[in-house]
Amino acid sequence: MTDPIAWSAGRLRFFRRPFHEYTLTQRVALSQMPLFVTTLLTAFLVWAFFRETMDNPLFVTFLVSQLALMALCYLVPWEKLPYTSFLVIPLLDFVSIALGREGGQDSLTGISLLAVFPVIWFCASGYYPRIALWLSFLAPLAIIWVPLLVKGDVTGQDLARSLLLPVMMLGIGVSVSVLTLSMTKQQRELEEKDAQLQANLRTSQRQEALLNTVLDTVHLGVLAVDADGHDVLMNRKQRINHELARPNDIADPNESQLLVFGPDRKTLVPVEERPVRRAVLGETFTDDLVWLGSGSEQRAFVTTARAMKDDDGAFAGSVIAFSDVTELVNALAAKDEFVSSVSHEFRTPLTSILGYVEILLADEPEESDRAMLEIIRRNSERLLTLVSDLLSSRNGQLIVTPEAVDVAELVRSSVSSAVPRAAASGVDLEAETPERLEAHVDGARISQVLDNLVSNAIKYSPGGGRVMVSLEQDDGHIECRVADTGMGMSPEDSSEVFAKFFRSSSVRRTAIPGVGLGLPISKAIIEAHGGTIAVDSRLGEGTTFTFRVPV
């Protein structure tokens, strides 16, 4: 048995649907329904108060025709016929109403007003708008005039008296036509907008699927947060990273509870200094190193964040990328350990060699032997200094002893010492310095930097050329520039030139000797003075090194 409540709810949903979503048969039936229901009410009134009219064949024909037309709305397969075939129903309605008017006007006036329903149907259909307007006037007029003309003995006054109804129907038809055209236009625009929105939605869904696929393919953890710090997007790799940083005893930790350690792998990073928190505060940073997790599963990540802006330029969130660099960090640590170990191993025999040389020199050897011993001592001391510099630069503890020094004289001495080597390589070596320029620096260390830069400039100008060493004072700093016209470097090589053991690809191809330690040591010396050193190089055009230290 059907549940009456469910049935009623279903009927309500049926009538709440937009009219265009019904089938054609349902739309035809719904269009005829107002006239049919009004006809039933008319029949009830006539039966209740004017029963003699029920015997009038014209009125009975009116009632039967309305019943038949309602049945035709459901029985005729309108979908299989030409689309506007259903308009025959309102045409037949005019004929049916004419019969009802003639059969019932003696008992119930105003039956001709029922013509408003087919008029509205015609004009609201949107088809044949001009014909619909003509029909809205002529059909009601025919309902009144045809019987008068058939009966004869009609006067102009009789005809004029009946014009009000057709004029009213025409006004209703015009109003309905205007509203229909406006609604049709609006519906068409809405359908076009809906189609565009659907197309945009499909495009957005495709782009979202592509973005998710790309993010899940890359080996970077990607996290997007909104301005309030809520996660907007997290790819598969970042979910793994998040799980790595999760404490074992907390199922859903917040940012402050995650295991995020500093470079020493032991000290928890304060919440306000953690990458995600910094990004939420709108900070932009690159390659910030943190360790996630604990124990043997701990991994190193460099994090990079970029802020997002809305149309007004206000902060709208951030995107943070996590790149796993555990193997690289471990390799660098292993390399530093190797350098430290080798340097320590070198220091012991060098110290022993220097000790025995000092003993031999104390015995006042012959002049020729003394010269050879001095060479051994000088080169051993140089090698021992190099070993000490390697150890100091690794630990970030290179020590300088500043004192008042004439830096101009240091530059001239370095250039003079390198002149024979420059001449042998076909390089013109020049210096531009003031007569005297004093600064509070470690003279021996600055000389070491100058010797290294000038030596490199000559070495990497194998086809000859020009090397210019210039010195000047600028805004409380001394600025020294060593420029050559040699082979130069690519931008990629320039960015790595101060890395330990780095040698550019062009240098490796030409087999120029070197181990890639001079520039890192020079950089450490300049930074120990509180200064900076920079490189500007173009492949095939030359290189310029510039260092600045406070006076």
Side-chain angles (χ1 to χ4, degrees):
M1 184 175 178
T2 304
D3 184 354
I5 297 178
W7 182 85
S8 300
R11 298 299 293 176
L12 285 173
R13 285 194 298 270
F14 175 83
F15 285 108
R16 287 175 182 173
R17 288 165 55 191
F19 186 76
H20 65 276
E21 292 185 1
Y22 293 101
T23 65
L24 181 56
T25 297
Q26 291 172 336
R27 294 201 301 271
V28 172
L30 287 173
S31 299
Q32 180 66 12
M33 188 67 69
L35 177 57
F36 180 71
V37 171
T38 306
T39 300
L40 293 179
L41 293 174
T42 301
F44 173 76
L45 292 174
V46 171
W47 176 81
F49 300 103
F50 310 99
R51 291 198 177 187
E52 65 277 5
T53 304
M54 297 298 294
D55 297 328
N56 189 309
L58 292 178
F59 190 78
V60 172
T61 303
F62 161 65
L63 297 178
V64 172
S65 64
Q66 284 298 309
L67 182 61
L69 289 173
M70 193 68 225
L72 287 175
C73 292
Y74 284 105
L75 297 177
V76 174
W78 302 108
E79 291 85 355
K80 299 179 180 179
L81 299 176
Y83 186 71
T84 56
S85 301
F86 58 83
L87 292 178
V88 72
I89 298 293
L91 283 174
L92 294 175
D93 282 334
F94 286 122
V95 177
S96 175
I97 293 169
L99 295 173
R101 179 180 180 276
E102 285 304 308
Q105 65 178 348
D106 292 337
S107 57
L108 193 64
T109 60
I111 293 180
S112 55
L113 289 174
L114 295 177
V116 71
F117 294 111
V119 166
I120 292 175
W121 188 351
F122 254 115
C123 294
S125 69
Y127 300 106
Y128 317 114
R130 291 186 179 181
I131 295 176
L133 290 177
W134 279 106
L135 280 174
S136 66
F137 177 76
L138 294 178
L141 185 65
I143 290 174
I144 300 172
W145 275 15
V146 169
L148 290 176
L149 295 173
V150 170
K151 292 177 182 178
D153 191 23
V154 60
T155 65
Q157 233 178 9
D158 293 331
L159 295 176
R161 189 181 297 115
S162 59
L163 282 176
L164 181 59
L165 178 64
V167 171
M168 288 176 57
M169 294 299 171
L170 177 61
I172 293 173
V174 171
S175 299
V176 171
S177 295
V178 171
L179 289 174
T180 299
L181 290 174
S182 176
M183 292 176 63
T184 302
K185 182 180 179 181
Q186 291 179 0
Q187 181 179 349
R188 190 175 298 112
E189 291 176 351
L190 289 174
E191 289 175 350
E192 291 175 355
K193 290 180 180 179
D194 181 67
Q196 183 63 42
L197 288 174
Q198 292 294 333
N200 292 341
L201 177 61
R202 289 191 293 270
T203 301
S204 177
Q205 288 172 339
R206 287 195 297 268
Q207 291 176 343
E208 182 182 5
L210 176 61
L211 175 63
N212 289 333
T213 302
V214 171
L215 290 178
D216 286 340
T217 301
V218 299
H219 293 291
L220 292 175
V222 179
L223 172 65
V225 295
D226 61 19
D228 297 323
H230 301 131
D231 293 349
V232 177
L233 181 148
M234 182 185 295
N235 70 343
R236 176 184 54 83
K237 180 64 176 175
Q238 184 56 24
R239 285 192 290 271
I240 296 174
N241 297 341
H242 187 79
E243 183 64 21
L244 176 66
R246 182 181 67 84
N248 293 329
D249 56 343
I250 303 178
D252 186 18
N254 56 38
E255 179 64 25
S256 63
Q257 296 171 322
L258 293 175
L259 301 178
V260 182
F261 297 92
D264 64 357
R265 307 177 65 169
K266 298 177 181 178
T267 304
L268 283 169
V269 178
V271 176
E272 64 276 6
E273 296 179 12
R274 296 190 175 192
V276 175
R277 183 60 181 166
R278 291 170 61 191
V280 170
L281 295 176
E283 186 175 345
T284 295
F285 53 88
T286 301
D287 294 342
D288 181 32
L289 179 66
V290 294
W291 287 82
L292 301 183
S294 60
S296 60
E297 296 180 353
Q298 195 176 47
R299 306 288 294 179
F301 293 86
V302 290
T303 60
T304 299
R306 293 293 182 269
M308 298 184 293
K309 305 289 184 180
D310 59 18
D311 294 338
D312 298 327
F315 176 70
S318 287
V319 177
I320 311 103
F322 291 74
S323 179
D324 191 334
V325 293
T326 307
E327 285 72 19
L328 176 60
V329 171
N330 289 337
L332 291 174
K335 185 180 73 172
D336 286 344
E337 289 298 327
F338 171 76
V339 171
S340 177
S341 176
V342 171
S343 299
H344 279 295
E345 293 297 328
F346 280 168
R347 173 175 284 183
T348 300
L350 285 173
T351 303
S352 178
I353 291 171
L354 280 172
Y356 280 104
V357 168
E358 292 294 339
I359 293 172
L360 291 174
L361 287 172
D363 290 341
E364 298 182 356
E366 295 182 3
E367 192 63 30
S368 59
D369 293 335
R370 175 176 289 276
M372 289 187 288
L373 290 172
E374 288 290 349
I375 292 173
I376 293 172
R377 183 176 67 176
R378 185 169 61 251
N379 284 282
S380 297
E381 288 176 345
R382 182 178 179 183
L383 187 55
L384 186 60
T385 300
L386 179 60
V387 168
S388 298
D389 288 344
L390 277 173
L391 290 171
S392 298
S393 62
R394 174 188 178 271
N395 297 325
Q397 298 174 344
L398 197 146
I399 298 174
V400 295
T401 307
E403 57 184 356
V405 176
D406 183 3
V407 182
E409 181 60 30
L410 296 181
V411 172
R412 288 191 290 268
S413 298
S414 179
V415 170
S416 298
S417 300
V419 166
R421 193 181 328 133
S425 299
V427 174
D428 294 330
L429 178 60
E430 301 179 20
E432 289 184 356
T433 67
E435 184 67 25
R436 184 176 182 83
L437 180 54
E438 286 194 358
H440 214 64
V441 297
D442 188 324
R445 292 296 191 182
I446 295 298
S447 293
Q448 184 178 353
V449 173
L450 288 167
D451 290 343
N452 182 59
L453 296 180
V454 172
S455 174
N456 282 350
I458 297 171
K459 184 194 303 184
Y460 299 127
S461 300
R466 183 169 180 264
V467 174
M468 170 62 70
V469 184
S470 59
L471 177 69
E472 61 183 4
Q473 184 171 343
D474 176 44
D475 192 25
H477 290 73
I478 60 169
E479 181 175 288
C480 183
R481 186 178 293 106
V482 180
D484 65 64
T485 57
M487 61 178 60
M489 293 177 289
S490 65
E492 293 77 12
D493 288 341
S494 297
S495 64
E496 300 289 338
V497 73
F498 293 109
K500 295 177 185 177
F501 307 107
F502 174 79
R503 306 191 73 217
S504 69
S505 55
S506 57
V507 169
R508 292 195 299 271
R509 285 194 297 271
T510 55
I512 297 175
V515 293
L517 290 174
L519 290 176
I521 293 174
S522 298
K523 182 173 185 289
I525 292 172
I526 295 301
E527 289 180 346
H529 281 84
T532 60
I533 184 169
V535 60
D536 179 20
S537 184
R538 289 176 177 79
L539 192 61
E541 298 181 13
T543 302
T544 300
F545 282 93
T546 304
F547 69 83
R548 288 167 56 89
V549 295
V551 173

